[in-house]
Amino acid sequence: MQRTVATFRRGDLFRIEGEELKHIFARRWKVGQKVEVFWEGRLFLCVLESISKKGAVCRILEEISTRPAEPYVYLYQCVPVEIGKMDFIVEKVSEVGAYQLTPLLSSRSFQNLQALEKRYERWRRIAFSSFKQCGRPIPLEIAPVTHLEDLKCRGGVCMVLDSFGGEIWLSEVNLKDVKEVHLVVGPEGGFSEKEVQLLREKGFLPVRLRPYTLRSETAAVLAVGLVMNF
Ligand code: SAM
């Protein structure tokens, strides 16, 4: 189902203008077509009633549930030194179903906090565009930057992807009926031994992915995808 974002609402009608209207024209929507309209954090099944160069009008048929798929995956991604790789990570983990992404600072990650904060608007835009494309019920949340030392295992299953010291394969962790998974992924240069030890002490289980060593961004996408498809 195609998706758009409303510019404003009056009763059971939504009006769409600006950039979103351009996308509607580009995708050749037709009057009478059923579409999904996002409005103030809620999602509605609508029918397109009219379209002109000034705006499109959609009538609400029903509200759609915005309950995300379980388990809720909280991904803590050590920011790659090549910071541009975060764009890929945001888009792909949104598609495979992560619930929340926290950019993490570790000893070998990208370190410049100010530069990271400037990226938030861009990441939220990427997450929003992925939300429109992939059909997830709400956009991926992007949480504030956190230091690895401040991480906490907040319940559910907590794991750290550790290419060398991982004790078991991720695919062997029993995730049946698990509601929350917290996953930590290292940067290009991996974690220091001290960091892995600290995460272990905090309750994060070191796990490995088969069969080879992956780039940080590949590991993040694969791990979230495996968890969502357990
Ligand atoms: N030589 C690095 C090291 O010291 O670990 C490799 C780091 S790897 C390029 C980047 C991150 O991706 C790792 O810290 C880990 O979190 C994750 N990763 C990559 N391959 C993995 C695997 N096979 N099993 C578990 N985690 C993996």
Side-chain angles (χ1 to χ4, degrees):
M1 179 86 52
Q2 306 238 26
R3 251 180 207 179
T4 189
V5 184
T7 315
F8 56 85
R9 175 180 179 172
R10 187 173 299 148
D12 64 349
L13 294 180
F14 287 120
R15 191 169 170 85
I16 298 113
E17 296 177 353
E19 280 303 305
E20 286 297 318
L21 181 64
K22 284 187 199 157
H23 292 152
I24 288 178
F25 272 109
R27 285 178 284 166
R28 300 172 186 275
W29 287 15
K30 300 272 180 287
V31 169
Q33 179 178 344
K34 285 188 182 161
V35 295
E36 289 177 358
V37 179
F38 190 64
W39 171 252
E40 295 187 338
R42 294 161 69 191
L43 201 55
F44 297 85
L45 177 67
C46 297
V47 59
L48 179 63
E49 287 216 328
S50 67
I51 180 161
S52 74
K53 283 187 180 154
K54 287 187 178 161
V57 175
C58 293
R59 180 177 297 279
I60 297 175
L61 298 175
E62 62 185 70
E63 185 161 358
I64 301 169
S65 162
T66 47
R67 214 180 125 90
E70 287 184 348
Y72 286 19
V73 177
Y74 293 81
L75 175 69
Y76 305 92
Q77 173 68 50
C78 292
V79 183
V81 176
E82 265 186 64
I83 191 180
K85 286 185 177 172
M86 278 299 278
D87 294 1
F88 175 89
I89 293 170
V90 170
E91 183 178 80
K92 299 305 169 203
V93 303
S94 160
E95 280 173 37
V96 292
Y99 174 71
Q100 188 187 76
L101 168 65
T102 303
L104 206 62
L105 295 185
S106 67
S107 58
R108 297 177 191 156
S109 73
F110 185 87
Q111 299 286 346
N112 184 335
L113 193 58
Q114 272 188 334
L116 281 181
E117 278 164 358
K118 281 193 194 140
R119 292 266 168 165
Y120 266 75
E121 209 184 302
R122 177 181 175 83
W123 293 337
R124 293 215 166 94
R125 246 188 291 121
I126 294 172
F128 199 74
S129 151
S130 160
F131 154 79
K132 285 201 292 172
Q133 174 271 322
C134 75
R136 54 181 293 143
I138 50 170
L140 172 75
E141 276 183 16
I142 305 184
V145 178
T146 301
H147 284 88
L148 185 139
E149 301 81 56
D150 299 329
L151 260 193
K152 288 193 179 70
C153 173
R154 294 191 273 142
V157 173
C158 299
M159 297 182 274
V160 49
L161 293 190
D162 180 3
S163 29
F164 298 126
E167 284 162 14
I168 57 169
W169 303 113
L170 171 56
S171 54
E172 283 163 5
V173 178
N174 186 3
L175 297 174
K176 192 168 181 294
D177 298 329
V178 167
K179 304 264 180 252
E180 259 185 41
V181 172
H182 297 262
L183 261 180
V184 190
V185 183
E188 294 96 327
F191 298 107
S192 67
E193 274 181 34
K194 213 171 125 197
E195 286 169 337
V196 175
Q197 185 53 31
L198 182 67
L199 289 169
R200 269 174 196 259
E201 286 163 13
K202 285 171 180 275
F204 288 85
L205 172 71
V207 296
R208 292 173 76 183
L209 294 165
R210 281 194 178 92
Y212 308 123
T213 302
L214 306 166
R215 289 186 186 274
S216 177
E217 63 274 28
T218 317
V221 177
L222 177 61
V224 178
L226 283 173
V227 169
M228 294 310 294
N229 285 277
F230 179 78

